[in-house]
Amino acid sequence: MKFAVVIFPGTSGEGDVYHVLKNVLGKSVDYVWHAETDLNGYDVIILPAGTSYGDYIRAGAIARFSPIMEAVVAFAESGGLVLGIGNGFQILLEANLLPGALLKNKSLKFICKDSNLRVENINTFFTNHFEADEILSMPIAHNFGSYFCDEKTLEELTINQQIVFSYSSLDGKVPQVANYNVRLANIAGIINKEGNILGMMPHPERSSEEILGGTDGLRLFTSIINKLEGVGA
Amino acid sequence: MAELTYKEMGLNDEEYAQIIEILGREPNYLELGMFSVMWSEHCGYKSSRPLLKTLPTTGEDVIHGPGENAGVVDIGDGQALVFKIESHNSPSAVEPYEGAATGVGGIIRDIFTMGARPIAVLNSLRLGDLTDEKVKQLFSGIVAGISGYGNSLGIPTVGGEVYFNPIYNANPLVNAMGVGLVNIDEIALAVAGEVGSPLVLVGSKTGRDGIHGATFSSEELSDSTADKRPTVQAGDPFMEKLLIEACLELIENELIAGMQDLGAAGLTSSIAEAASKKGRGVAVDVSKVPQREAGMSAYEIMLSESQERMLIVPQVGSENKVIEICNKWGLEAVIIGEVTDDGLFNIYEGEKLVGTLPVLALTDDCPVYVRVSEEPAYYAEHKAFDANALQTKDLNSAFLDLLSSPTIASKEWVFSQYDYQVRTNTVVVPGAGDAAVLRVKGTPKGIALTTDCNSRMVYLDPYRGTMMAVAEAARNLACVGAKPLALTNCLNFGNPEKPNIYWQFEQAINGISSASSALNIPVVSGNVSLYNETESAAIYPTPTIGMVGILEDIACRQDMAFKQAGDIIVLLGDLATSLGGSEYLFVCHGLETGEVPEIDLEKEANLIELLLQGHKAKLFNSCHDISEGGLALALAESAISGNLGFKVDLAADGKAIDGLLFSEAPSRVVVSINSADISLLQESAINLGISVNIIGEVTSQDLIINIDGKAIISSDMEKAQQAWGEAIECMMD
Amino acid sequence: MFKGHVYITLKEGVLDPQGKAAENSLDTLGFSQINQVKFGKFIEVELEAENKEEAVKQLKAISEKLLANLVIENYRVEVVEVDK
Amino acid sequence: MFKGHVYITLKEGVLDPQGKAAENSLDTLGFSQINQVKFGKFIEVELEAENKEEAVKQLKAISEKLLANLVIENYRVEVVEVDK
Ligand SMILES: Nc1ncnc2c1ncn2[C@@H]1O[C@H](COP(=O)(O)OP(=O)(O)O)[C@@H](O)[C@H]1O
Ligand SMILES: [Mg+2]
């Protein structure tokens, strides 16, 4: 199986996920320049973290119009697996491949730290190596990381189990409040209805080696590999 | 813009006369402007060159010392580290966000101009009294600027330091250090290439921003700088990122003869420097320079300090390939002139020659001043201070006050705004240890990075204080397991035309020289920022030291957190008591005085050796050097980081108790080790003449120091954590 | 040649931490009479067009496609012909 | 109760990378008639004041003190009385 890591002008996080796939997992992976229009031969498309186009106007706003994005949309519509991390998530939202938007952090500051995540849905291509309600540690590093969508969309996300990761306390408690804003604020990653497009703000590629402090993130990638090689892709 | 006189451009009568002599005529306005920026302190190093020449700059690992855009040291396996520290003080005082952001942009350009992939940024900040609203604004603006620019480049900001002192209220210091990794055979230099090679300008369009920035940064800040505000430059990190990728691709494809970033004094300086390297001349047509604004004059184009621009001299015949690759990255790249053999800097506006001057006159003929040096009266006065005369304080509350002093307290508010993890190499992250440690993918090696300077010590005794800064940097590297390799320095001082300031400057540089040769850590790059003064006062002399070190085996790294209850706590070094220049005197007695503690560089070298042996034998479970706040605060930081307590017992033996706790005497480190390993440690320590003091043990909770059996300091973890962890946050948000 | 303005504001119910922060600091600065602050974008555009309608159409088009994110933002455009 | 608007724009000659990026992107999107895009801020304020002059004064004050960065930005204020 083969991964593609898309590079847009100004993309800054491509090397981190590439390193995990190639050197940690020994998978074959290519960089694909945004001007390309063809994604044939790839099984998983990754829109990497960091920044693209300086995140000018809005993170992802310009990148979504890159030539490669038409191919990404087509690839996704045909059921191909697409993973957007951080900036990649923002691009998926701007491209309407996932619902909602990401707003500026409440603190108005960039935040770089480890976060605790609760796995809300382990029955996906991306999370089948996690355990139900398991608490993971993954770094976050973003400026626009607070997820937003309208109430109707939030209901759908909830009913269809599209919320895959929630921010959580160590003891796994995610305040199960009715308050819509608080519930929104806990969302760390969502998947589309069909289950082939995942967007998340935390960085699995930054928690895939012991030397970096943990390997929880690695299991997200092995989940993908497991599913695809399992079904002989 | 209204025409300036040569005085307004910062030239004096003698210098103007010298220019006339060189040209054999009056310079025109363009030529005058070019001289004034090239002969400014910032570009010409007028007041510093003779002193800088005395720095030790050679060593077996040094590939390039001062003189290039950045220093280069060999780290084996055909790889080298490229690094330099630079100031962006006055721009940050005027516009903190853009000033700090463009400071990062500038130092990063110095790194990839050498052909290196930038892998890390550090930042050394000096701010005023954090209770002052204006200072808070400067602080948040500066940190946001570094964060905004560095983060979007995907270069981790992995370390640095922040000190707070009212002396910096109106004169904040922003020093940024850039570090890059390069294959030795791919190092690029700023040379002009062959006669006839074209000069290609790449990147941002040229605007009116930053004109006379170099001159501006060489003048004291006064109310009139308000009028100079048009010189503020805004950064474009996206453009910088494209430049990095394009330039590294050009080098990979061996298309470049020379490369030079555009920084202070813009086109004038980078072209002159590139050309002077080979005694060449250049012919430039300003009408070819892409312009952001209408109707720019040759003068404005040649002096503009618009950011994110690079000058490239392609290999003969490869200019089209160069332009092609730049365009692929969405970068504008145009030929603006060519290298000539007449040694002249000729500026054309289309066909018309609008300026002509000898290249070397700009770069080499810059006048050099050996200023008058005079020891200030304060030096002897402070030395005479007697700490025994202090009124007694409750030392437990002193301890808590120190924990929450912003200079000592956790800097998480700062570094959580920096993406310190991107590139996934940062294995000792900000706050975790005395220096940052990065792995070098594909090798067992690691590199360690730090910046250090306690400017209060430097003020009280510039010579000793600066030796202490170099020693602390080296010690910080050794504490995380790295052998110090080389250093860079950023000399932030006041107005050198004042004898007392020049004395500080001279003494500080001598301090770097002494420490650098004693510890065998050569100086490979640096930067000078003078005239950091307002009407009221000069800043403390602040010779910031940036240092890099190497870990042959990254498995031998160590951080400062206690690891397990029951480990014994050992002080490597002496139970010193000198309180001169300490944060304790400042915070608890409102005093900045005293004799700066003695430093024995030979002992420091042995301590570093001992630390490296210990790390190699994996003896240490934690390692933290003693700096601001002394022994008590070093213990507290290790405890808080490890969320474990300690019980320490000291004997006064007639020594001053506050001295024992809070002395900032150098060459001392607190380690925690397995009790079984103590004899091993003692053995190597004896051979190296370092005293090993077993002072207590790691416990599961509470921070306790008994002296002669009496509990002097006793705090529960929560209280300490809060005081240390939330101090800055509470003041800022 | 036309000059256009695009005003982008956050939709009702979308958090505006910047506005909240401004309200707070204005309070501490003693501007007690300020009740609410909302942050939006003001974008000035220069464009060619046959006529004003044409220009308005273009401004709307670029707002919807690029300048505004309709999930969280509303936009309003306005054209001011430039007298040459 | 008054409603005020504050318009914040970059000073002449200050680089506007966002604007540049928008221009390029619009170009590739085929909006060739767009010549220039400049990004600024649009801030809506609700405040109490004796009268319109009073309100204008306050808006200016908060713009200079907090909302605008006068080193690189210009501001313009405008008051619209709210009819209750
Ligand atoms: N401005 C900053 N940016 C990033 N990291 C910082 C900054 N200031 C301090 N740090 C980090 O916080 C920790 C403590 O800094 P410092 O008190 O200077 O340590 P030391 O006294 O041992 O040199 C170090 O890891 C340092 O890198
Ligand atoms: Mg320090």
Side-chain angles (χ1 to χ4, degrees):
Chain A
M1 63 177 295
K2 199 161 192 186
F3 290 83
V5 174
V6 179
I7 301 182
F8 301 92
T11 292
S12 57
E14 74 276 16
D16 299 349
V17 66
Y18 184 95
H19 166 73
V20 171
L21 294 168
K22 188 178 182 71
N23 304 327
V24 179
L25 291 168
K27 291 295 157 185
S28 86
V29 47
D30 294 342
Y31 286 125
V32 177
W33 180 237
H34 79 119
E36 302 289 322
T37 54
D38 179 6
L39 286 169
N40 280 327
Y42 294 107
D43 303 288
V44 186
I45 308 304
I46 295 182
L47 304 187
T51 306
S52 55
Y53 288 94
D55 285 355
Y56 294 150
I57 305 178
R58 293 177 311 279
I62 301 178
R64 68 158 289 197
F65 292 113
S66 277
I68 192 69
M69 285 308 290
E70 277 180 31
V72 171
V73 171
F75 180 88
E77 278 168 353
S78 70
L81 295 193
V82 179
L83 168 63
I85 306 168
N87 194 244
F89 185 15
Q90 293 160 333
I91 295 170
L92 291 173
L93 293 167
E94 284 283 339
N96 299 316
L97 286 170
L98 290 172
L102 285 157
L103 307 175
K104 199 158 183 40
N105 298 342
K106 259 213 188 61
S107 68
L108 295 176
K109 297 192 204 77
F110 187 99
I111 302 174
C112 179
K113 65 172 173 73
D114 291 335
S115 68
N116 298 313
L117 300 180
R118 195 176 71 179
V119 187
E120 304 288 359
N121 180 353
I122 58 169
N123 307 312
T124 78
F125 279 98
F126 306 88
T127 54
N128 54 75
H129 277 182
F130 297 118
E131 279 147 43
D133 298 333
E134 183 180 357
I135 304 304
L136 313 173
S137 168
M138 282 188 210
I140 54 170
H142 55 241
N143 223 337
F144 287 77
S146 83
Y147 180 79
F148 173 87
C149 65
D150 59 36
E151 304 221 22
K152 192 172 142 296
T153 310
L154 180 58
E155 290 319 317
E156 285 173 14
L157 290 178
T158 314
I159 293 160
N160 307 328
Q161 300 201 324
Q162 285 173 258
I163 301 171
V164 176
F165 297 111
S166 306
Y167 295 114
S168 139
S169 55
L170 243 192
D171 58 17
K173 288 210 185 61
V174 178
Q176 296 300 315
V177 291
N179 181 321
Y180 150 75
N181 284 327
V182 178
R183 276 159 61 213
L184 275 182
N186 290 328
I187 293 178
I190 60 170
I191 197 163
N192 64 332
K193 235 208 209 80
E194 295 68 26
N196 64 313
I197 308 174
L198 175 71
M200 62 193 296
M201 288 316 289
H203 289 276
E205 80 282 20
R206 295 186 184 189
S207 56
S208 290
E209 298 170 273
E210 274 311 335
I211 192 173
L212 297 175
T215 57
D216 285 350
L218 192 63
R219 284 184 287 152
L220 184 133
F221 299 107
T222 56
S223 295
I224 298 172
I225 294 162
N226 167 53
K227 259 286 197 287
L228 288 187
E229 292 184 340
V231 299
Chain B
M1 85 204 280
E3 293 217 340
L4 304 167
T5 65
Y6 67 81
K7 282 220 172 70
E8 290 168 313
M9 291 185 186
L11 293 167
N12 62 33
D13 298 336
E14 297 71 36
E15 291 164 346
Y16 187 66
Q18 194 181 339
I19 290 169
I20 293 175
E21 193 188 316
I22 289 170
L23 297 180
R25 60 179 166 84
E26 297 262 338
N28 65 30
Y29 192 63
L30 167 64
E31 294 162 337
L32 181 60
M34 291 170 68
F35 268 108
S36 74
V37 289
M38 290 302 290
W39 286 13
S40 69
E41 191 64 58
H42 190 87
C43 295
Y45 290 85
K46 283 191 243 191
S47 307
S48 55
R49 235 189 290 171
L51 290 173
L52 294 175
K53 281 211 176 69
T54 64
L55 292 169
T57 59
T58 55
E60 61 202 30
D61 302 322
V62 177
I63 296 175
H64 289 293
E68 292 300 332
N69 284 296
V72 185
V73 287
D74 195 331
I75 59 167
D77 305 318
Q79 291 178 308
L81 281 183
V82 176
F83 67 102
K84 182 175 195 278
I85 190 166
E86 200 161 74
S87 70
H88 228 222
N89 302 337
S90 28
S92 305
V94 178
E95 209 321 88
Y97 184 99
E98 296 296 345
T102 51
V104 172
I107 194 62
I108 290 303
R109 281 193 297 282
D110 277 328
I111 301 307
F112 70 81
T113 300
M114 302 287 300
R117 161 69 61 179
I119 59 167
V121 177
L122 290 85
N123 63 121
S124 175
L125 311 179
R126 300 293 179 286
L127 290 127
D129 173 358
L130 200 48
T131 60
D132 176 319
E133 279 309 316
K134 182 83 178 54
V135 170
K136 288 184 191 182
Q137 283 174 23
L138 286 169
F139 186 33
S140 41
I142 286 165
V143 171
I146 294 166
S147 156
Y149 202 102
N151 294 356
S152 50
L153 292 182
I155 302 169
T157 301
V158 298
E161 50 184 352
V162 194
Y163 285 78
F164 300 90
N165 189 297
I167 202 79
Y168 298 106
N169 276 355
N171 270 300
L173 300 186
V174 176
N175 294 178
M177 175 171 162
V179 183
L181 188 64
V182 67
N183 294 327
I184 291 172
D185 56 18
E186 287 183 344
I187 295 170
L189 300 177
V191 293
E194 301 314 309
V195 171
S197 349
L199 302 173
V200 182
L201 181 61
V202 183
S204 289
K205 286 183 165 30
T206 297
R208 288 197 170 89
D209 32 7
I211 290 170
H212 277 296
T215 319
F216 174 41
S217 71
S218 307
E219 286 172 5
E220 294 181 28
L221 288 178
S222 70
D223 302 343
S224 70
T225 44
D227 322 330
K228 294 212 179 79
R229 275 170 180 184
T231 62
V232 170
Q233 315 138 25
D236 180 353
F238 173 44
M239 179 68 74
E240 177 107 341
K241 173 67 173 168
L242 298 174
L243 276 176
I244 296 173
E245 300 308 328
C247 291
L248 292 181
E249 188 172 331
L250 292 177
I251 286 164
E252 228 170 85
N253 293 285
E254 297 174 350
L255 299 171
I256 290 185
M259 184 149 77
Q260 176 68 40
D261 63 302
L262 277 72
L267 276 170
T268 299
S269 159
S270 48
I271 294 177
E273 263 153 39
S276 69
K277 286 258 161 57
K278 275 193 181 176
R280 295 271 158 73
V282 281
V284 184
D285 178 357
V286 292
S287 66
K288 297 241 173 68
V289 175
Q291 294 157 44
R292 204 170 76 229
E293 297 169 63
M296 288 182 70
S297 67
Y299 172 90
E300 291 171 319
I301 293 166
M302 289 307 292
L303 267 63
S304 163
E305 294 188 0
S306 292
Q307 299 289 300
E308 291 93 22
R309 298 179 299 162
M310 295 288 286
L311 181 75
I312 286 169
V313 186
Q315 294 284 3
V316 186
S318 51
E319 50 267 30
N320 293 336
K321 261 192 151 350
V322 166
I323 292 171
E324 193 180 302
I325 287 178
C326 292
N327 292 342
K328 169 194 138 192
W329 285 101
L331 291 168
E332 203 169 1
V334 297
I335 297 174
I336 62 166
E338 69 173 30
V339 178
T340 63
D341 58 4
D342 57 11
L344 288 178
F345 197 143
N346 286 329
I347 301 101
Y348 294 84
E349 219 165 10
E351 294 301 298
K352 182 154 161 283
L353 181 68
V354 293
T356 176
L357 25 80
V359 170
L360 295 179
L362 291 173
T363 53
D364 297 18
D365 295 355
C366 172
V368 164
Y369 302 107
V370 177
R371 310 275 189 191
V372 184
S373 166
E374 182 185 319
E375 178 184 303
Y378 78 74
Y379 175 63
E381 289 160 13
H382 285 301
K383 251 180 139 157
F385 170 79
D386 172 14
N388 303 319
L390 290 171
Q391 84 221 66
T392 53
K393 289 258 171 211
D394 169 34
L395 296 177
N396 196 49
S397 41
F399 173 70
L400 291 171
D401 293 345
L402 282 168
L403 273 171
S404 55
S405 148
T407 291
I408 287 177
S410 165
K411 305 300 186 299
E412 183 168 1
W413 185 90
V414 175
F415 58 73
S416 65
Q417 294 184 57
Y418 301 151
D419 187 346
Y420 51 80
Q421 303 170 314
V422 63
R423 302 188 60 80
T424 58
N425 292 324
T426 319
V427 297
V428 174
V429 300
D434 287 348
V437 177
L438 279 65
R439 66 171 165 179
V440 181
K441 286 194 180 105
T443 77
K445 291 191 309 242
I447 59 166
L449 312 168
T450 186
T451 67
D452 287 282
C453 180
N454 181 330
S455 62
R456 183 188 297 128
M457 296 288 188
V458 178
Y459 166 76
L460 293 172
D461 187 335
Y463 181 64
R464 260 190 203 177
T466 305
M467 288 194 290
M468 278 175 74
V470 175
E472 181 180 355
R475 199 184 317 128
N476 282 334
L477 295 182
C479 281
V480 296
K483 175 179 176 294
L485 279 182
L487 70 85
T488 181
N489 66 100
C490 191
L491 304 173
N492 309 271
F493 287 75
N495 177 352
E497 295 158 42
K498 300 180 181 171
N500 290 345
I501 301 286
Y502 193 72
W503 175 82
Q504 296 173 336
F505 192 53
E506 198 175 46
Q507 294 282 309
I509 289 176
N510 294 341
I512 295 178
S513 295
S514 303
S516 158
S517 28
L519 301 175
N520 188 17
I521 304 169
V523 179
V524 296
S525 59
N527 167 257
V528 178
S529 168
L530 301 174
Y531 299 91
N532 293 288
E533 294 196 19
T534 45
E535 290 83 353
S536 48
I539 58 163
Y540 279 170
T542 313
T544 309
I545 303 299
M547 201 178 285
V548 305
I550 180 114
L551 298 88
E552 289 307 330
D553 176 5
I554 199 161
C556 296
R557 70 189 181 277
Q558 193 47 273
D559 61 24
M560 66 179 178
F562 287 151
K563 300 295 185 305
Q564 61 204 6
D567 279 357
I568 54 176
I569 301 172
V570 177
L571 164 65
L572 299 174
D574 307 332
L575 278 160
T577 56
S578 152
L579 284 171
S582 63
E583 188 75 4
Y584 165 75
L585 285 187
F586 179 56
V587 171
C588 305
H589 295 272
L591 295 170
E592 302 188 77
T593 185
E595 175 171 16
V596 170
E598 271 177 54
I599 174 161
D600 174 343
L601 292 166
E602 197 177 324
K603 182 184 275 178
E604 188 72 56
N606 289 338
L607 174 62
I608 289 169
E609 176 56 31
L610 174 62
L611 290 170
L612 294 179
Q613 288 179 10
H615 286 298
K616 204 157 186 207
K618 297 217 167 73
L619 288 185
F620 308 132
N621 295 337
S622 72
C623 189
H624 186 23
D625 87 306
I626 294 180
S627 58
E628 291 75 27
L631 173 62
L633 272 289
L635 287 164
E637 288 171 354
S638 290
I640 295 168
S641 317
N643 195 19
L644 289 166
F646 59 81
K647 184 172 166 305
V648 162
D649 288 279
L650 301 172
D653 296 331
K655 298 197 193 75
I657 291 180
D658 52 1
L660 274 177
L661 295 172
F662 303 126
S663 168
E664 296 175 14
S667 318
R668 307 184 309 149
V669 169
V670 171
V671 299
S672 63
I673 69 173
N674 228 308
S675 49
D677 296 333
I678 187 65
S679 48
L680 270 168
L681 178 57
Q682 273 159 331
E683 244 170 74
S684 17
I686 289 162
N687 300 335
L688 290 160
I690 302 296
S691 47
V692 173
N693 300 285
I694 300 173
I695 57 174
E697 69 169 0
V698 178
T699 64
S700 58
Q701 65 211 26
D702 295 347
L703 292 60
I704 295 168
I705 300 180
N706 300 325
I707 296 187
D708 298 336
K710 186 154 154 295
I712 302 298
I713 285 173
S714 162
S715 162
D716 60 56
M717 180 53 76
E718 229 170 280
K719 205 134 133 255
Q721 236 154 11
Q722 222 177 12
W724 184 79
E726 294 167 18
I728 291 181
E729 194 180 343
C730 290
M731 296 178 88
M732 292 304 294
D733 309 338
Chain C
M1 227 268 292
F2 290 80
K3 215 167 180 342
H5 292 167
V6 180
Y7 301 83
I8 296 176
T9 52
L10 283 175
K11 285 189 168 165
E12 273 312 314
V14 178
L15 292 181
D16 176 17
Q18 233 178 326
K20 284 273 152 297
E23 287 167 16
N24 296 340
S25 27
L26 285 172
D27 229 46
T28 51
L29 288 172
F31 291 93
S32 49
Q33 302 103 305
I34 308 290
N35 301 332
Q36 195 190 44
V37 181
K38 283 181 165 178
F39 272 75
K41 293 178 185 166
F42 172 61
I43 305 168
E44 299 168 288
V45 183
E46 273 177 30
L47 68 166
E48 308 293 342
E50 293 301 308
N51 51 45
K52 197 157 171 175
E53 291 60 45
E54 184 41 41
V56 171
K57 249 177 80 213
Q58 286 215 37
L59 287 174
K60 286 188 170 167
I62 63 172
S63 302
E64 305 211 347
K65 214 172 165 72
L66 183 69
L67 301 180
N69 176 351
L70 301 182
V71 176
I72 48 172
E73 297 168 326
N74 296 320
Y75 74 93
R76 182 165 61 77
V77 306
E78 157 187 294
V79 168
V80 219
E81 182 152 12
V82 176
D83 26 5
K84 312 196 189 73
Chain D
M1 225 269 291
F2 290 80
K3 213 166 179 347
H5 292 167
V6 179
Y7 303 81
I8 295 175
T9 53
L10 281 176
K11 282 190 172 165
E12 199 48 50
V14 177
L15 182 69
D16 176 16
Q18 284 209 85
K20 281 273 151 298
E23 288 165 18
N24 297 338
S25 164
L26 288 170
D27 220 52
T28 51
L29 288 174
F31 293 94
S32 50
Q33 303 103 305
I34 307 290
N35 300 331
Q36 195 188 47
V37 181
K38 283 184 170 176
F39 273 75
K41 291 179 190 152
F42 172 63
I43 304 168
E44 299 167 289
V45 182
E46 273 178 30
L47 69 167
E48 308 293 343
E50 294 302 309
N51 51 44
K52 195 158 175 174
E53 292 59 45
E54 187 38 48
V56 170
K57 246 175 89 217
Q58 286 218 37
L59 285 173
K60 285 189 169 165
I62 64 171
S63 302
E64 306 216 340
K65 254 199 145 50
L66 184 75
L67 302 179
N69 173 357
L70 300 179
V71 178
I72 51 174
E73 294 172 330
N74 296 321
Y75 73 92
R76 185 166 58 77
V77 306
E78 155 188 294
V79 167
V80 224
E81 182 152 13
V82 176
D83 28 5
K84 313 196 190 74

